[in-house]
Amino acid sequence: MSERERYPPGVPCWVDTLQPDPRGALDFYGALFEWEFTGPGPGAADPSSQYFIARVRGRDVAGIGSRWNGHPRAMWNTYVRVDSADGAVAAAKRAGGSVLQPPFDVPPAGRAAVLADPAGAPFCVWEARAREGAQLVNEPRTWSMSSLHSSDPESATAFYGAVFGWRPDVFDAGGVQITLWRLPGFVGGEPEQPVPRDVVAVMVPAADRGSSPRWHVDFWVAGADAVADRAAGLGGTVVVPPHDSPGFRRALIADPQGATFWIDELTAGPARR
C-alpha cells in the first residue's frame, strides 16, 4: 500500500508547506529526507508564486511552495480528498466551519479550498483532476499521517464526522485521550502498523488550552535520533527531542523558516483492530 494511485473521498491525500523562501526549504528538506524535486510550477492560490514537487523513487510525496498573501506563517498543510471542493465548503459551513480561501482552480491538477474547523484549525480540501495526491506514503522519507491537536475534541469530532464521515475511536494512552478517526470501508496504511488500516487521521489534546488548534504532519523515518540530529545540523530546531510513544519513536522538528513537523520511527507491530 506504499504506492497510491487513487484516494477515496474523505481520505487525506496530500501535504505541502508554503514558505517565505521556498528554495531555502528545498535545500533543507532535500538534505534531510534525500528528496528530489521537480518544478517550479505556478503556485496554487497565487500564479506568480512557485511550487515544487518533492519525490522519492520517482514518485510524488509532498509539495513546497511560496507563501501567498494572507497565508499564515510557514507551516505544513494537509489536504483531504473530496468529490467537490465547492460541496465540501458548503458542508463545512453547515457544520460550523469557516472558509479561509474560497475554492480555486489549480490547472490542470485540481481544485482546492482552505477551510477551518469550528475551533479554528486550518486544513485544505482537494478535488482531484490530473493529480490525485501523494503517490508514495507509509515508508521512510514519506508522509504517513496527519494529526489534529485540538482543545475542543467534541466539536472537532462532530465537525469532521459531518463533513467527511469520520468515526471516532477513542482510547487512553497513559492518561491522554487519543482519537483515531476511522473511515468505514477504507483500507490504507501498512499491515505492520499499530493502528487499524481504516484510520485516516488522529486527534490529540492540545498542549494547553491557550494554544492554537492546528494540524500536524508526520513523516516516517528509519532512525528518529539520527534524523533529528541531521535536522539540527541543517539549521532546524528540535522542538521535542526523540522519545518513545506507543508504537513509535518520534520527535517534533521545526525547519529553518519555522514550519513544524513530526518524524516517526515505527517500533511496534500490529496492536489494535
Side-chain angles (χ1 to χ4, degrees):
M1 293 298 293
S2 291
E3 296 187 358
R4 297 296 302 272
E5 300 295 339
R6 304 284 297 177
Y7 287 87
V11 177
C13 63
W14 185 245
V15 292
D16 68 13
T17 179
L18 304 183
Q19 307 247 349
D21 177 13
R23 290 189 179 271
L26 298 187
D27 292 339
F28 175 79
Y29 288 102
L32 184 68
F33 292 136
E34 299 180 4
W35 284 350
E36 298 178 346
F37 298 96
T38 61
D46 181 355
S48 67
S49 64
Q50 294 184 329
Y51 197 86
F52 300 84
I53 302 297
R55 311 195 86 193
V56 171
R57 296 197 286 108
R59 300 183 69 83
D60 301 347
V61 297
I64 295 177
S66 307
R67 189 178 65 179
W68 35 270
N69 289 338
H71 192 275
R73 64 194 181 284
M75 61 186 293
W76 277 94
N77 309 294
T78 295
Y79 293 70
V80 181
R81 178 73 164 88
V82 294
D83 283 330
S84 166
D86 297 82
V89 166
K93 291 168 67 174
R94 288 194 301 269
S98 56
V99 181
L100 303 182
Q101 180 77 21
F104 55 92
D105 289 319
V106 190
R111 185 168 172 80
V114 185
L115 306 174
D117 66 22
F123 65 96
C124 306
V125 292
W126 182 248
E127 176 187 338
R129 292 172 184 164
R131 184 183 301 280
E132 275 283 330
Q135 297 173 335
L136 193 65
V137 296
N138 299 327
E139 68 173 55
R141 302 188 291 141
T142 73
W143 168 52
S144 61
M145 185 69 70
S146 292
S147 58
L148 173 64
H149 294 232
S150 178
S151 58
D152 190 357
E154 290 186 4
S155 71
T157 297
F159 174 80
Y160 292 101
V163 177
F164 300 126
W166 293 355
R167 305 283 181 83
D169 180 359
V170 183
F171 69 98
D172 183 273
V176 178
Q177 294 295 304
I178 306 295
T179 299
L180 302 179
W181 269 317
R182 306 174 69 166
L183 185 63
F186 174 64
V187 179
E190 296 299 313
E192 68 270 22
Q193 70 184 28
V195 298
R197 293 182 66 182
D198 63 354
V199 171
V200 295
V202 177
M203 178 171 59
V204 300
D208 59 74
R209 298 291 295 184
S211 62
S212 299
R214 60 183 302 184
W215 280 91
H216 283 273
V217 300
D218 294 57
F219 294 99
W220 273 13
V221 296
D225 294 81
V227 174
D229 288 344
R230 189 184 312 145
L234 291 167
T237 302
V238 181
V239 180
V240 178
H243 61 281
D244 293 322
S245 64
F248 298 94
R249 185 162 177 80
R250 60 199 320 252
L252 180 64
I253 309 295
D255 70 24
Q257 298 180 66
T260 57
F261 58 96
W262 288 92
I263 55 171
D264 292 328
E265 176 185 358
L266 187 65
T267 58
R272 289 174 56 82
R273 286 292 178 263

